[in-house]
Amino acid sequence: MSIRRSIPFLIALLAFLAAGPAPGSGQEPERTILQPPEHGMYHAAFPDFGGPESFVTRYRLRDFERLVDKEIAWAYFSDNWFNGIGFPSKAVKVIARYGRVPFIRMMARSNYKQKPSKYTLQKILDGNFDDDLHEWCSGARDSVVPLLVEFGTEVNGFWFPWNGRWNGGGETGDYGDPKEADGPERFRDTYRHIVDICRDEGAWNITWFFHPNGESWPQKDWNQMSDYYPGDDYVDWIGVSVYGPQEVGESWTSFRKLMDRTYAELDALPGNKPLALLEFGAAQEPHNEKKALWVRAALRTLRSGRYERIVAESYWHESWRNAHGPKSNLRLDSSRRTTRYYRGEVAHPFYVTEPTFGPSL
């Protein structure tokens, strides 16, 4: 099959515009959000937008789709706040003009350190960045394209500064409800605060995702997925990260075993929201094809219907050098067999690429 610029996104855009009120009518627009596919599962990816996860170019999109011989429904990228808070209009335009849906990870960090320095959850709640956030949300509104957005990627993981560990942890006396752990409670309120600002700015074109990690670290009673859930009124979809080994030498656990225990926790969250596997992948090891087999098994397990509510998958296609030396190569061209197995699985019509947008679920 030859990869071409598809028109589904343009159709979705026209539907999105048609759903809004006439200009000057004074009516509040109806929210138009991503709908689950009528059948199968959306196929999407982070198509290696570089180390900061934000080097968005049409060439990287094209190269990924040529590699896997399949289009993607959305392109996933990071909006880091290293140089301040600002809507990533250039990246959004590149993706939208290519005919794909932009998926923005709002990354409230000023550096790569785990512990927050500038953007603590409390400072966001105190309104220290409200002017910048209003600008961000007005930029989202003015983009006039459907957007997928998450705040607080893998929130139950200590490797990001919005995790509860860095924002009050399991303490209960310094913020909000004295019966609730301060860390997760601060996150829930921060997520709602950002969504409320975007609604105030009329950014009705955003589908909001809540994105925990498959496993919670630290493994504390207060650090579970459910502790961070902002509520049905603020979340449209729920996504999750489930990875195999990310470094050479780490032990292998089957995707099915990992997802079985993760899915039970996801399924127990309130709201019956559509579920997405927002990140998955595994590192290439020298002289073996465990990765190829793991990736193939993951896609076959997803297609089996074992996880009924999961209706989207997005592969994390990247290679990076770790601080302690070894390289982590999750790219799908890390071996010929990995490329072949992935291509063969996503060629199935179960994996769809045409996003559908409609009224709020």
PDB file of all heavy atoms in Angstrom, residues 150 153 351:
ATOM      1  N   GLU A 150      -3.648  16.168  27.272  1.00  0.00           N
ATOM      2  CA  GLU A 150      -3.549  15.594  28.610  1.00  0.00           C
ATOM      3  C   GLU A 150      -2.694  16.505  29.473  1.00  0.00           C
ATOM      4  O   GLU A 150      -1.762  17.158  28.987  1.00  0.00           O
ATOM      5  CB  GLU A 150      -2.942  14.194  28.587  1.00  0.00           C
ATOM      6  CG  GLU A 150      -1.484  14.156  28.158  1.00  0.00           C
ATOM      7  CD  GLU A 150      -0.910  12.751  28.127  1.00  0.00           C
ATOM      8  OE1 GLU A 150      -1.510  11.866  27.492  1.00  0.00           O
ATOM      9  OE2 GLU A 150       0.163  12.551  28.737  1.00  0.00           O
ATOM     10  N   THR A 153       0.976  13.690  32.649  1.00  0.00           N
ATOM     11  CA  THR A 153       1.353  12.388  32.102  1.00  0.00           C
ATOM     12  C   THR A 153       1.888  11.455  33.193  1.00  0.00           C
ATOM     13  O   THR A 153       2.729  11.849  34.001  1.00  0.00           O
ATOM     14  CB  THR A 153       2.440  12.578  31.025  1.00  0.00           C
ATOM     15  OG1 THR A 153       1.936  13.444  30.003  1.00  0.00           O
ATOM     16  CG2 THR A 153       2.852  11.256  30.418  1.00  0.00           C
ATOM     17  N   TYR A 351      -7.392  -2.208  13.119  1.00  0.00           N
ATOM     18  CA  TYR A 351      -6.698  -0.980  13.486  1.00  0.00           C
ATOM     19  C   TYR A 351      -7.067   0.107  12.486  1.00  0.00           C
ATOM     20  O   TYR A 351      -6.704   0.039  11.310  1.00  0.00           O
ATOM     21  CB  TYR A 351      -5.186  -1.220  13.534  1.00  0.00           C
ATOM     22  CG  TYR A 351      -4.806  -2.131  14.678  1.00  0.00           C
ATOM     23  CD1 TYR A 351      -4.458  -3.464  14.452  1.00  0.00           C
ATOM     24  CD2 TYR A 351      -4.839  -1.673  15.993  1.00  0.00           C
ATOM     25  CE1 TYR A 351      -4.133  -4.298  15.529  1.00  0.00           C
ATOM     26  CE2 TYR A 351      -4.519  -2.508  17.052  1.00  0.00           C
ATOM     27  CZ  TYR A 351      -4.176  -3.816  16.808  1.00  0.00           C
ATOM     28  OH  TYR A 351      -3.871  -4.648  17.863  1.00  0.00           O
TER      29      TYR A 351
END
